[in-house]
């Protein structure tokens, strides 16, 4: 996890807000470093994490997490982490082989009319099921107990590429928020890739999806490349938008930062204060 980002968001593993719905959007850049941050953050906070990895393999996420000081293999063995490997499971549905049935969570790949009910059932059972793995105990000898559940999704836009409609994805996100945030008092973090330079159906859908998600969320992290183009010292900029409902009005607070990703972390600068722009 990134200590500087924790300070910006005023959240720490031993003190963080619950019932948060966080949206990460990326344009002309790679914002996956934020997914790795939140994954390591919530595991360190001893939350029960359900991760829908639709873009990369488990080995990839584990390799990055180890550089951040977190072992995903151990987290899975303890029952703290439930990981859906979308790439591998998709192949089982799209290129079926005898004796190898794919996860029911991705049944929509074989029958688009089924929608995302099975995927939602996977999320609900993973977040509200038993919090500890069989045989795992804490230091006192009792069963492992985890904190509030967290759902991570990387990347929600993959569902659009697989033929799922914007409305169906919005319904899925709504039910996830209602279950994980409202009922279980946990958090949801979803990443969505948008590329305004592409003119295709998927990108139009991604823009519509982002607008719908923005109305649901409490925090958005909009990450994009620098308007001026490539810079060796700064990799991009991140706009942070907090949304809070007070009485009958919604209040928003926006702050803009520039960032640079390192091998084991990231640095953030208030816009205009980075040495690269002095």
């Amino acid at each position: 996890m990134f200590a500087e980002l924790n300070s910006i968001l005023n959240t720490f593993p031993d003190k963080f807000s619950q019932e948060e719905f966080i949206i990460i959007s990326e344009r002309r850049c790679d914002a996956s470093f934020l997914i790795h941050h939140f994954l390591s953050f919530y595991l360190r906070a001893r939350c029960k994490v359900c991760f829908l990895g639709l873009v990369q393999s488990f080995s990839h996420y584990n390799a990055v997490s180890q550089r951040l000081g977190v072992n995903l293999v151990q987290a899975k063995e303890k029952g703290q982490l439930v990981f859906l490997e979308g790439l591998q499971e998709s192949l089982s549905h799209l290129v079926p082989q005898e004796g190898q049935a794919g996860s029911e969570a991705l049944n929509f790949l074989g029958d688009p009319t089924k929608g995302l009910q099975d995927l939602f059932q996977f999320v609900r059972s993973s977040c509200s099921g038993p919090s500890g793995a069989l045989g795992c105990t804490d230091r006192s000898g009792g069963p492992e107990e985890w904190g509030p559940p967290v759902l991570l999704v990387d990347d929600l836009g993959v569902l659009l590429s697989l033929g799922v409609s914007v409305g169906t994805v919005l319904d899925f996100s709504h039910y996830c928020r209602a279950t994980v945030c409202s009922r279980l008092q946990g958090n949801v973090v979803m990443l969505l890739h948008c590329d305004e330079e592409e003119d295709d159906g998927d990108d139009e859908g991604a823009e519509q999806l982002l607008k719908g998600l923005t109305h649901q969320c409490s925090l958005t992290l909009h990450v994009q490349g620098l308007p001026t183009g490539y810079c060796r010292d700064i990799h991009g900029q991140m706009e942070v938008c907090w949304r809070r409902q007070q009485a009958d009005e919604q209040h928003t607070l926006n702050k803009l930062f520039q960032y640079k990703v390192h091998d084991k972390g990231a640095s953030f600068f208030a816009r205009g204060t980075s040495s690269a722009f002095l």
Side-chain angles (χ1 to χ4, degrees):
M1 65 181 179
F2 309 142
E4 290 186 32
L5 183 57
N6 288 344
S7 298
I8 291 172
L9 301 180
N10 192 29
T11 182
F12 307 93
D14 59 349
K15 185 181 178 182
F16 60 91
S17 300
Q18 295 177 226
E19 301 183 48
E20 295 278 6
F21 184 25
I22 303 171
I23 296 298
I24 304 167
S25 71
E26 60 179 23
R27 300 176 188 274
R28 307 188 311 276
C29 68
D30 181 5
S32 61
F33 68 95
L34 292 176
I35 285 290
H36 295 297
H37 162 78
F38 284 111
L39 175 59
S40 62
F41 176 92
Y42 286 118
L43 289 176
R44 287 179 181 273
R46 294 186 58 78
C47 293
K48 176 70 178 290
V49 177
C50 174
F51 190 1
L52 306 185
L54 306 179
V55 177
Q56 299 286 355
S57 67
F58 176 80
S59 298
H60 168 81
Y61 293 110
N62 186 46
V64 177
S65 294
Q66 285 185 329
R67 291 203 297 269
L68 299 178
V70 175
N71 190 314
L72 300 191
V73 174
Q74 291 181 358
K76 283 183 66 177
E77 292 174 348
K78 292 179 179 180
Q80 185 184 9
L81 172 65
V82 178
F83 184 87
L84 177 67
E85 190 153 4
L87 291 176
Q88 180 177 324
E89 296 294 345
S90 296
L91 283 176
S92 300
H93 283 275
L94 300 175
V95 188
Q97 297 183 7
E98 187 176 351
Q100 294 184 359
S103 170
E104 292 184 358
L106 300 183
N107 278 348
F108 68 90
L109 291 173
D111 183 5
T113 62
K114 293 181 68 68
L116 299 176
Q117 293 94 330
D118 290 328
L119 186 59
F120 169 68
Q121 292 298 335
F122 175 86
V123 170
R124 183 168 66 174
S125 63
S126 299
C127 291
S128 58
S131 59
L134 184 63
C136 289
T137 59
D138 59 20
R139 293 180 179 178
S140 65
E144 287 273 15
E145 293 294 335
W146 309 116
V150 173
L151 170 64
L152 296 176
V153 183
D154 179 23
D155 158 5
L156 202 60
V158 171
L159 298 175
L160 299 178
S161 301
L162 294 173
V164 182
S165 68
V166 172
T168 299
V169 178
L170 283 174
D171 287 343
F172 170 73
S173 67
H174 170 75
Y175 283 113
C176 288
R177 179 171 65 95
T179 298
V180 179
C181 297
S182 300
R183 186 169 71 84
L184 300 176
Q185 297 184 322
N187 293 340
V188 174
V189 181
M190 295 181 171
L191 182 144
L192 176 63
H193 174 77
C194 303
D195 197 336
E196 57 199 14
E197 294 182 354
E198 294 179 7
D199 186 17
D200 56 32
D202 285 346
D203 186 61
E204 267 186 42
E207 292 293 342
Q208 295 175 11
L209 180 56
L210 180 59
K211 290 179 181 178
L213 292 171
T214 300
H215 289 296
Q216 298 181 22
C217 71
S218 56
L219 172 67
T220 55
L221 304 174
H222 297 296
V223 184
Q224 62 182 8
L226 294 172
T228 54
Y230 173 78
C231 176
R232 183 184 62 182
D233 299 309
I234 297 295
H235 293 155
Q237 65 184 30
M238 177 182 72
E239 182 182 19
V240 183
C241 180
W242 291 269
R243 291 179 174 80
R244 290 293 182 266
Q245 194 73 27
Q246 297 180 0
D248 295 330
E249 297 182 354
Q250 186 179 72
H251 294 263
T252 63
L253 174 64
N254 292 33
K255 291 187 177 181
L256 189 62
F257 299 87
Q258 294 162 342
Y259 69 88
K260 180 176 183 178
V261 179
H262 311 289
D263 185 50
K264 295 184 179 181
S267 299
F268 297 86
F269 316 93
R271 187 175 181 180
T273 63
S274 166
S275 60
F277 287 85
L278 294 178

